[in-house]
Amino acid sequence: MPIKVLADEIVSKIAAGEVIERPASVVKELIENSLDAGATQIAIEAQGGGVELIKVSDNGTGIPASELELAFYRYATSKIGNLDDLEKISSLGFRGEALPSIAAVAEVEISTQTSSDPMGSYMYLKKGEVVRKESRARSQGTTVTVHRLFRYFPARLKFLKSANTENSHIAHLVSQCALAFPEVKFTLVLDKRQSLRLRTTSNGDLREVVSEIYGSDLAQRMLKAERNDGLAKVSGLISPPSLARSNRNYLSFFVNRRWVHSPLLTRATEEAYRGLLMDGQHPIAVINVSLPAQELDVNIHPAKAQIKFCHEQTVFSSVQKAIEEALARTPIASSKAVPFSVSSGQWQSPRMIMDNEPAFAVAQLPALELPVLRVLGQLANTYIIAEGPDGLYLIDQHAAHERILYDRILAQWSHKEVEVQGLLQPITIEFSPREEETLRVSKEFLAEFGFAIEPFGNRSYLIRAIPALVARANIIEIISALLDSLASKESLNPWEEKIAQSLACHGAIRAGQQLSNEEMRELIKQLEQTKQPRTCPHGRPTMIHLSAYQLEKEFGRIS
Ligand code: ADP
Ligand code: MG
């Protein structure tokens, strides 16, 4: 085929495919237009997963009759005028692509009225062409109705999921918009069904929107996060560690109130919860970052869901700190009872009930502190049984010791006071090529933690000194585990935490090891002094607590 410039019509369809991927993309573009037009009320309706009908009405500025046709031209926009504007975009839209792209893949009706035009105007477009245009009265604002989306695009229709799935994408999208704009009243009706309604109040209170979307119980327990670092202003609501979820669907990030997918902000958030959640658990967060417009680039992808920060590290640490502060400010009541199922005789993990924690009237302890515990004995050479002011505690001796060692190792390292144990008789150890490579790049880190390792020819090495805190453990095992963990790409933790974690794990007393009363008491005393006595460095619980209330309940003393 000879080379030729594609006809405008084809070009607009290619681009439409990028912007309009599915019905929810149409809803997104239309809502963004309404928000840019300063609307305070936006009503969204969809039928058949958005394929049959999508209707978005707003009470924004409206479009002047004289400009209505122009709005459907490609790259026609009222939001930027020159290249400079592109550097500092403050509106949600700016590419002038949405309306023409939607009109290229569906039939579109639009009716609009400004405050200055004497009469509103109405237009009907089919395959991107205006087929009817007339004056029509309406109140100020704009309504766009999209019929038969993708009807002439069977390939795209086939790619769509069931109407229910597309509906849920739309609902999710509208929820995110509502979270970003609590002062705007959103209503959503899907397939005319009452049950699929969303209605936010527009009083500007984020907690109320969260309550509408995730339920009032959850909304009440969310913690306020706020921080102003000059460059980045962070604000939002985050979950206490006890409200974790098993996936990342509850993380909502906005930058200058634009809903974004940002691996950077996800990581910053998860970083703030490190050590507070178990593996596989994720927080709930609704976070907006406000930045001067020239601090970011949103013109990366047609759907504008990706952004680039000029100062990534600054944004990252502002978000992380805002969340850490919120978590630290609010003592979390975590001395809730753990259900004990008599029939199965199984302890359940405390996490499993966190979501519906009963409102037990127990003494509320700050999460991070332990009450004074009295050791009663050891169970299965693995758990320490202890009594506290509010019931029974079962403590995992390995996990508890891991927490103690981890904190101490990191403390010694950060104060540059690592206790080193020299070996009278150096140990010879032979490394695999991979281990040797890891050792080469991490030798200095290891030295900072108290390891003295010298080459001894032929992949053999001499260990001359080790950290005193783990001196009693199996040294060869500790070193190979350490090199493994340093080589692993899975964990994004900084190297010092990887080292401390690995040392703590392999240096800690094992399950199955018998302990004297004296040793158990000492262990608990040391655990009380750690900053997070209730979780091990991997985020697993160090203890299970059965409250006095729960005991009485299980024994039928109270009902
Ligand atoms: P963009 O939003 O990138 O400017 P669009 O194709 O989405 O491009 O819209 C084109 C123009 O139409 C906008 O710049 C705006 O002037 C006008 N417009 C679209 N929707 C609305 C609306 N709901 N209210 C007021 N003006 C609108
Ligand atoms: Mg737009």
Side-chain angles (χ1 to χ4, degrees), residues 117-404:
D117 278 343
M119 182 73 160
S121 39
Y122 169 89
M123 229 167 57
Y124 196 113
L125 296 95
K126 254 186 181 169
K127 296 191 180 175
E129 300 293 323
V130 180
V131 295
R132 181 140 43 113
K133 189 178 172 191
E134 60 198 36
S135 294
R136 227 183 241 193
R138 64 153 287 157
S139 54
Q140 188 188 327
T142 305
T143 300
V144 178
T145 314
V146 177
H147 303 271
R148 290 179 274 275
L149 181 63
F150 298 140
R151 161 171 270 184
Y152 302 107
F153 298 79
R156 203 151 269 281
L157 266 187
K158 216 163 63 193
F159 165 83
L160 294 184
K161 302 280 185 333
S162 70
N164 277 344
T165 306
E166 295 303 332
N167 272 344
S168 77
H169 282 292
I170 293 173
H172 188 58
L173 182 266
V174 176
S175 308
Q176 302 305 312
C177 295
L179 289 170
F181 289 82
E183 75 282 21
V184 175
K185 177 178 178 151
F186 285 88
T187 55
L188 168 69
V189 178
L190 290 169
D191 288 330
K192 298 184 176 159
R193 293 221 305 275
Q194 193 70 28
S195 62
L196 287 170
R197 258 168 204 274
L198 174 78
R199 186 185 289 278
T200 61
T201 51
S202 80
N203 69 358
D205 183 1
L206 178 60
R207 205 179 285 274
E208 280 203 11
V209 183
V210 170
S211 165
E212 190 60 43
I213 293 168
Y214 296 139
S216 62
D217 187 41
L218 185 150
Q220 270 166 28
R221 293 171 58 195
M222 296 284 276
L223 314 173
K224 199 168 183 160
E226 224 153 9
R227 191 180 166 90
N228 186 346
D229 278 333
L231 187 73
K233 271 200 214 89
V234 181
S235 69
L237 292 172
I238 58 150
S239 58
S242 57
L243 262 184
R245 289 290 182 270
S246 60
N247 58 53
R248 293 196 173 89
N249 295 345
Y250 294 79
L251 294 176
S252 302
F253 299 112
F254 308 96
V255 175
N256 292 348
R257 311 225 280 176
R258 179 192 301 284
W259 182 33
V260 294
H261 293 279
S262 168
L264 181 91
L265 298 181
T266 306
R267 260 190 293 129
T269 304
E270 300 202 326
E271 196 71 4
Y273 281 88
R274 180 119 58 84
L276 296 176
L277 299 180
M278 289 210 283
D279 288 352
Q281 293 210 303
H282 304 276
I284 305 165
V286 180
I287 297 281
N288 180 63
V289 183
S290 299
L291 284 169
Q294 56 275 18
E295 280 294 316
L296 45 121
D297 185 0
V298 284
N299 194 15
I300 295 176
H301 184 265
K304 298 163 290 183
Q306 289 166 14
I307 40 156
K308 205 168 147 27
F309 298 105
C310 297
H311 296 94
E312 288 196 333
Q313 198 48 49
T314 314
V315 174
F316 185 98
S317 82
S318 290
V319 170
Q320 181 186 352
K321 283 187 193 138
I323 298 176
E324 280 173 356
E325 285 164 6
L327 289 169
R329 246 193 333 264
T330 316
I332 305 133
S334 70
S335 66
K336 297 280 168 72
V338 175
F340 181 68
S341 148
V342 178
S343 53
S344 65
Q346 295 257 310
W347 293 93
Q348 289 178 14
S349 146
R351 287 290 159 184
M352 292 165 65
I353 55 139
M354 289 293 190
D355 276 357
N356 316 304
E357 277 164 329
F360 292 149
V362 292
Q364 305 271 299
L365 300 163
L368 307 174
E369 272 168 40
L370 269 192
V372 178
L373 299 178
R374 188 169 69 91
V375 171
L376 301 176
Q378 195 183 18
L379 176 69
N381 285 343
T382 299
Y383 307 106
I384 299 167
I385 309 169
E387 180 188 18
D390 182 48
L392 181 76
Y393 290 76
L394 265 188
I395 295 142
D396 180 324
Q397 65 194 37
H398 172 73
H401 196 212
E402 241 185 315
R403 165 54 72 193
I404 296 165

Side-chain angles (χ1 to χ4, degrees), residues 62-73 76 78 117 121 123 133:
I63 305 173
S66 57
E67 294 178 11
L68 189 55
E69 265 185 77
L70 198 56
F72 285 83
Y73 279 41
S78 59
D117 278 343
S121 39
M123 229 167 57
K133 189 178 172 191

Side-chain angles (χ1 to χ4, degrees), residues 29 32-33 36 79 93-94 98-99 304:
E29 295 295 336
E32 287 189 353
N33 281 347
D36 282 344
K79 299 169 193 173
F94 56 88
L99 291 183
K304 298 163 290 183

